[in-house]
DNA sequence: GGCGCGCCTGTTAACGTTCACAGAGCAAAG
DNA sequence: CTTTGCTCTGTGAACGTTAACAGGCGCGCC
């Protein structure tokens, strides 16, 4: 797909522009100056009540809509926020996106989205650039990798950026995320408490901080309990990967408990166990992560770590807004990092050894 | 480098906006007029190659970014498309969204999103209004209900709108969707061909055209085969609803085949059957709809009707662009309705009676 | 040589809004 | 009565870009 304009060579001229009503029209009808109309629109206090009414009437009767492009041109702010999205077809990112958008609307902002296929520096900067050209007032990056926050640090300093999801480790940009290590600890400890000698782990992709932090939390918990730490295979976030990892584990008689890095992986593990003739939870216990809407309807219903993606989105928006409205010198700086705590939801896929 | 602003002593330095480089700066450095810079930017042919190079160099060395707000103000087009989203946390809508966005980027467009919580006329019109104020060049509505296309018809006539998903029945706006009835026929016929006397149906919500069309396709197929048409319960699109419907069916010995309106419903049905001690597919066959990424890892792997949500998104964007660039009088009108054909994916949840 | 006709470039005027300032009217204070 | 100050309103000038037009230059043609 190429350029949509047929080269400005000849004049298109086919498009006749219908003149929309502008402030001047409203002003004329109301018998005031355009500036007074502007004042009414922006809720400026110094307008006589009677005048304001007259202007509002005129706006209504002309069905006036203000031209935000003109406003943006002079005020340099667009009431639009940019989102850098990655893998937004996954449930988590999609939910965050929705959380951000609906909170943004309540705050009077529009949301523009720039997806990237890979999270390398070049693509992220390119996305920032596109958003900048459209003069967004701030950026939220759904950013599960370190490279993103680093790239974000290279954005023009006047542009406020916040990262959501992934790791909270980076200093490069304010970050909102859940405490993945704590979630992993919850899951692992739960299984240990049920009497399992150790807990195996079906991990997500190696280069996602979510995955790394969950491994770390799992490993620390085992270590603290003096349990053996089994080795880990990496995969993608889907059931296929869980199935592959699960098949390997199903044949190992030492495996009695498996903590999965997300619910989809758990789904694959459940199927692998089922095929191998292992009963869950009698023979092997399984715990997931995310608590996706349908996880309670797996066979058997999945014990998992619940996280609220929508809340993650809303909080990241709130943080961005704080950073945008805070004057650097005067106010105390808003928090640099927000960490949400996940909860364990116990269903029937986990049981005593 | 004195700033142009007087900067009276009382003015807090915090409010001073850093002057960005504009066309005039580039022009000065390149030794040309700002208009020539504009011409270079817009690929106007009548610029000497040497001059163009000089301008491009100047742009690079000043790190110039054009101000799209100013451009939008004068050209009345923003290179931005609006999306009206509904339930975008669901896999289908999220995938369409992604498909639209990535196709839009390739076509040089930015994408703004306006979600609605409910699909009533007021909220949809409000969303259109917000998008209009931000001067989007066109709108795609992820619109699974009739009310949306009707509301769309009330949008300003200068604004091109396209609906994607849902029913293709409406005349109100150009529509891209899949052939739900054909998909349902595929699934139902497959089960009949396996020797089942009839096929039961676990339906989605009553007021979604997707659901209604699938019911219709299923019903017609049964009718054509002279099979009994069982009655239908409605639910939501999730596993919980499938579980509820599945429990009722599990106790009925006449039920040997179930066609589910989507894969999540099928997941719930599978669990209900499992709990009731029914084996799939030996006792009961189950077929889903959507072919979500993990459906091949259900227990057992799900036979389902595959639809390509990303393609749906891309096609809707293509259709919108066609409608936007077509001059009403001269060119032949682009298609009003695009219907994509789904495919049956046979796995192991369906078997002979 | 004059003329017309392409190329290439510059000058000026929009686009629709907000900002900065000025000024009219009126009330309270000196 | 003047002065001061506050409320309300209007005038002009930005903001940064593209559109419209004008003009200089070189070239080919008569």
């Amino acid at each position: 797909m190429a350029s949509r304009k047929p080269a400005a060579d000849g004049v298109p001229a086919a498009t006749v522009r219908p003149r929309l009503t502008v402030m001047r029209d409203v002003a004329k009808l109301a018998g005031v100056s355009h500036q007074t109309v502007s004042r009414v629109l922006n809720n400026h206090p110094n307008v006589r009540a009677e005048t304001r009414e007259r202007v509002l009437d005129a706006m209504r009767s002309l069905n006036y809509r203000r031209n935000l492009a003109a406003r943006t041109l002079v005020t340099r702010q667009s009431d639009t926020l940019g989102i850098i999205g990655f893998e937004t077809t996954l449930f988590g990112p999609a939910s965050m996106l929705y959380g951000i958008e609906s909170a943004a609307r309540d705050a009077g902002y529009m949301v523009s989205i720039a997806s990237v296929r890979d999270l390398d520096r070049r693509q992220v900067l390119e996305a920032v650039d596109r958003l900048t050209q459209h003069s967004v007032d701030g950026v939220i990056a759904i950013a599960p990798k370190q490279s993103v926050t680093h790239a974000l640090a290279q954005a023009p300093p006047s542009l406020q950026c916040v990262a959501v999801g992934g790791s909270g480790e980076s200093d490069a940009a304010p970050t909102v995320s859940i405490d993945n290590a704590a979630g992993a600890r919850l899951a692992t400890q739960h299984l240990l408490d049920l009497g399992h000698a150790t807990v195996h782990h079906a991990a997500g992709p190696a280069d996602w901080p979510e995955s790394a932090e969950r491994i770390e939390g799992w490993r620390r918990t085992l270590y603290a309990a003096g349990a053996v730490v089994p080795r880990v295979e990496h995969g993608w976030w889907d059931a296929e990967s869980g199935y592959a990892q699960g098949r390997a584990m199903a044949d190992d008689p030492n495996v009695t408990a498996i903590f999965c890095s997300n619910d989809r992986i758990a789904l694959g593990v459940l199927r692998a166990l089922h095929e191998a003739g292992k009963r869950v939870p009698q023979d092997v216990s399984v715990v997931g992560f995310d608590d996706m809407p349908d996880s309670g309807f797996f066979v058997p219903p999945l014990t998992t770590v619940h996280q609220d993606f929508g809340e993650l989105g809303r909080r990241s928006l709130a943080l961005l807004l704080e950073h945008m409205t805070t004057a650097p010198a005067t106010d105390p700086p808003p928090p640099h990092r927000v960490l949400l705590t996940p909860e364990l939801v116990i269903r029937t896929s986990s049981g005593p050894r």
Side-chain angles (χ1 to χ4, degrees), chain A:
Chain A
M1 223 171 275
S3 70
R4 105 211 68 80
K5 249 190 179 173
D9 179 3
V11 187
T15 47
V16 176
R17 298 208 183 96
R19 259 249 305 133
L20 294 174
T21 63
V22 299
M23 271 194 183
R24 198 194 321 283
D25 305 322
V26 176
K28 193 179 295 177
L29 181 60
V32 296
S33 75
H34 66 109
Q35 177 59 17
T36 298
V37 177
S38 171
R39 277 190 267 257
V40 170
L41 224 44
N42 295 316
N43 287 314
H44 196 286
N46 288 353
V47 178
R48 203 151 41 108
E50 192 260 346
T51 309
R52 162 172 285 121
E53 269 320 309
R54 210 147 26 98
V55 170
L56 288 173
D57 281 347
M59 293 199 320
R60 266 189 293 269
S61 77
L62 293 176
N63 192 30
Y64 169 76
R65 300 280 113 113
R66 92 163 117 191
N67 183 323
L68 287 179
R71 179 183 210 259
T72 299
L73 178 58
V74 50
T75 62
R76 287 165 176 295
Q77 64 159 10
S78 59
D79 290 1
T80 299
L81 266 24
I83 300 188
I84 296 178
F86 180 63
E87 294 285 350
T88 48
T89 61
L90 299 181
F91 175 71
S95 302
M96 292 191 232
L97 186 55
Y98 179 74
I100 295 168
E101 197 278 337
S102 75
R105 169 167 30 131
D106 292 344
Y109 283 92
M110 201 73 186
V111 159
S112 280
I113 174 167
S115 295
V116 293
R117 284 186 241 277
D118 302 294
L119 284 179
D120 57 69
R121 175 193 233 73
R122 198 183 56 75
Q123 285 202 41
V124 174
L125 283 177
E126 199 176 286
V128 170
D129 196 61
R130 276 191 295 145
L131 292 170
T132 308
Q133 288 206 29
H134 284 262
S135 55
V136 297
D137 299 337
V139 167
I140 295 180
I142 296 179
K145 291 198 199 172
Q146 295 278 12
S147 56
V148 178
T149 42
H150 286 129
L152 246 37
Q154 302 225 324
S158 56
L159 188 66
Q160 292 289 350
C161 300
V162 162
V164 60
S167 155
E169 285 302 317
S170 170
D171 305 313
T175 303
V176 177
S177 60
I178 68 149
D179 192 335
N180 287 296
R185 181 159 17 87
L186 244 36
T188 310
Q189 193 62 53
H190 165 66
L191 289 166
L192 291 175
D193 290 348
L194 285 169
H196 296 275
T198 190
V199 176
H200 284 66
H201 183 48
D207 53 347
W208 285 52
E210 263 104 343
S211 176
E213 291 180 4
R214 287 169 200 175
I215 290 174
E216 196 53 29
W218 161 76
R219 204 188 304 258
R220 284 236 173 88
T221 309
L222 290 184
Y223 188 79
V228 181
V229 179
R231 69 183 300 258
V232 170
E233 302 289 338
H234 288 280
W236 178 236
W237 289 116
D238 61 1
E240 183 171 2
S241 159
Y243 181 64
Q245 296 187 58
R247 280 181 70 122
M249 295 186 195
D251 297 332
D252 184 345
N254 295 321
V255 176
T256 66
I258 306 174
F259 164 49
C260 305
S261 202
N262 80 355
D263 288 357
R264 297 177 63 195
I265 292 172
L267 179 66
V269 167
L270 287 176
R271 179 182 156 209
L273 292 171
H274 180 83
E275 282 187 2
K278 302 265 186 170
R279 293 164 305 158
V280 177
Q282 293 86 345
D283 300 328
V284 180
S285 287
V286 175
V287 174
F289 206 114
D290 278 358
D291 194 22
M292 283 173 28
D294 292 340
S295 300
F297 295 88
F298 288 178
V299 180
L302 187 69
T303 295
T304 189
V305 178
H306 176 87
Q307 63 170 321
D308 188 338
F309 290 107
E311 178 69 8
L312 224 39
R314 289 187 291 275
R315 292 292 281 273
S316 66
L317 183 95
L319 184 62
L320 176 62
L321 257 35
E322 274 187 85
H323 276 273
M324 279 166 51
T325 56
T326 303
T330 59
D331 302 323
H336 188 75
R337 183 174 169 182
V338 175
L339 215 52
L340 267 45
T341 307
E343 283 173 21
L344 185 68
V345 179
I346 298 176
R347 299 205 179 92
T348 51
S349 68
S350 56
R353 175 59 189 150

